[in-house]
């Protein structure tokens, strides 16, 4: 369980990151399986698909980790995906993953600098949170296979 003070500090960090640049719209922290730990969005930016974003972000990041291991080029430091209307950034934070969505006009170097600035503290806070490494049960896998992801 996340300790109350840690949870409040984590929320404070997300707020600092989100409002460090006007181009940042959403920020989430997930575990390595894509399960949402916490998130924050600008009030004028609605993100109804936060669950789907969490799952896909986790899968994308873990795929890059596996690819790096397979090619023997090391661990993933940062992940950046450019879309036609924005960017998706990912950075490992210990047991979790910090994912940030922004518009295309964001200064990419500044985003990396801000993420690096808070990485160690987020890692420390998440280390107090019990995230199990247990594999998904057959029941959960079955539910995920049966989900209708149409329109995503």
């Amino acid at each position: 369980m996340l300790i109350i003070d840690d949870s409040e500090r984590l929320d404070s960090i997300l707020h600092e990151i989100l409002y460090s640049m006007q181009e940042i719209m959403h920020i989430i922290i997930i575990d390595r399986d894509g399960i949402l730990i916490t998130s924050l969005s600008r009030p004028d930016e609605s993100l109804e698909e936060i669950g789907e974003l969490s799952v896909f972000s986790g899968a994308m990041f873990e795929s890059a980790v596996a690819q790096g291991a397979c090619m023997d080029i090391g661990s993933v430091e940062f992940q950046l995906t450019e879309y036609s209307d924005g960017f998706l950034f990912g950075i490992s934070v210990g047991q979790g993953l910090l994912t940030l969505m922004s518009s295309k006009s964001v200064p990419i170097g500044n985003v990396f600098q801000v993420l690096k600035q808070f990485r160690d503290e987020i890692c420390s806070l998440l280390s107090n949170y019990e995230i199990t490494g247990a594999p998904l049960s057959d029941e959960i896998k079955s539910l995920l296979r049966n989900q209708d992801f149409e329109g995503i």
Side-chain angles (χ1 to χ4, degrees):
M1 198 81 210
L2 199 58
I3 300 168
I4 299 290
D5 289 342
D6 290 348
S7 177
E8 289 173 359
R9 179 60 188 141
L10 202 53
D11 289 343
S12 174
I13 290 170
L14 290 185
H15 189 270
E16 287 181 59
I17 294 171
L18 183 69
Y19 289 99
S20 65
M21 288 167 256
Q22 67 182 8
E23 297 89 353
I24 299 174
M25 299 175 292
H26 310 284
I27 186 165
I28 63 173
I29 297 178
I30 59 177
D31 73 7
R32 293 302 183 116
D33 291 321
I35 297 173
L36 182 66
I37 296 172
T38 188
S39 67
L40 185 64
S41 296
R42 289 189 182 261
D44 56 334
E45 296 288 339
S46 173
L47 186 62
E48 296 175 11
E49 300 85 11
I50 196 79
E52 289 88 352
L53 174 64
S54 299
V55 170
F56 293 130
S57 293
M60 281 177 31
F61 195 83
E62 288 304 311
S63 175
V65 168
Q67 184 179 37
C70 178
M71 295 171 32
D72 197 28
I73 56 176
S75 61
V76 176
E77 293 295 318
F78 292 101
Q79 186 175 43
L80 171 63
T81 306
E82 180 178 6
Y83 295 96
S84 58
D85 295 326
F87 293 108
L88 186 69
F89 297 84
I91 183 173
S92 173
V93 285
Q95 303 176 75
L97 172 66
L98 179 103
T99 300
L100 182 146
M101 291 176 58
S102 75
S103 67
K104 289 278 281 228
S105 61
V106 73
I108 295 171
N110 292 357
V111 173
F112 287 133
Q113 183 177 9
V114 168
L115 294 178
K116 276 185 172 181
Q117 175 185 346
F118 290 103
R119 173 194 262 170
D120 290 341
E121 187 174 3
I122 293 171
C123 287
S124 176
L125 292 168
L126 289 181
S127 71
N128 295 327
Y129 183 69
E130 188 176 324
I131 299 175
T132 65
L136 294 176
S137 70
D138 289 337
E139 292 83 13
I140 292 174
K141 288 178 184 176
S142 175
L143 285 172
L144 291 173
R145 276 193 295 271
N146 293 327
Q147 290 296 313
D148 179 13
F149 292 110
E150 185 178 321
I152 295 176

